[in-house]
Amino acid sequence: LLIPLWSYPFLYKLFGGGVAFSNYGAAFLGLLFLTLLFSAIGIFISSLSESQTVSAIATIGILLLLWMLENTTPMIDQKMGTVVMKFSIQKYFRPFTSGLVSTEAILFFLLTTALFLFLGCRSLEKRFFRNPL
């Protein structure tokens, strides 16, 4: 789904617009990492439930919560705000949209993606060994 996005800067450049390909590449990389993380969270939530509807609603709710964490920091105290900001997806995605690629953001996305994929595998293993074929 992300591959057609690469045609936009070339079409824009073809019709006379100026495109900073480095900024576009960084934003695309961030979008790729965001997609990987969202997919991993969805797989994990889906492994916890038998119902597709429950899994979809829970995944959307959790992703929305994680996306909006940064907006909740003004409503809570300073110490809790710093802890909440460590889990904010927007905090790590925003530098990519500015054309910056930070090691901290890459590590956050890769490690949390790996964590949720690991948890999803463990959940499926637990379910399989409880009710083997």
Side-chain angles (χ1 to χ4, degrees), residues 19-83:
V19 177
F21 285 102
S22 60
N23 289 354
Y24 192 79
F28 186 81
L29 184 66
L31 187 60
L32 181 67
F33 284 135
L34 190 68
T35 303
L36 291 173
L37 177 60
F38 282 7
S39 298
I41 292 172
I43 289 169
F44 170 64
I45 300 298
S46 181
S47 72
L48 296 176
S49 174
E50 297 279 334
S51 171
Q52 292 176 352
T53 307
V54 171
S55 297
I57 292 171
T59 300
I60 290 170
I62 289 173
L63 291 178
L64 187 61
L65 173 74
L66 288 173
W67 187 258
M68 299 303 287
L69 274 178
E70 187 173 348
N71 299 338
T72 62
T73 53
M75 295 179 266
I76 54 180
D77 65 345
Q78 184 82 19
K79 285 184 180 180
M80 191 64 176
T82 57
V83 172

Side-chain angles (χ1 to χ4, degrees), residues 53-123:
T53 307
V54 171
S55 297
I57 292 171
T59 300
I60 290 170
I62 289 173
L63 291 178
L64 187 61
L65 173 74
L66 288 173
W67 187 258
M68 299 303 287
L69 274 178
E70 187 173 348
N71 299 338
T72 62
T73 53
M75 295 179 266
I76 54 180
D77 65 345
Q78 184 82 19
K79 285 184 180 180
M80 191 64 176
T82 57
V83 172
V84 166
M85 283 299 289
K86 296 289 184 189
F87 298 104
S88 172
I89 293 175
Q90 277 187 21
K91 174 189 172 205
Y92 296 104
F93 181 67
R94 188 174 298 114
F96 286 107
T97 61
S98 301
L100 302 172
V101 178
S102 71
T103 308
E104 181 185 19
I106 292 173
L107 284 175
F108 170 79
F109 282 115
L110 290 178
L111 290 176
T112 52
T113 299
L115 173 70
F116 280 107
L117 287 176
F118 173 76
L119 292 174
C121 288
R122 295 295 296 167
S123 174

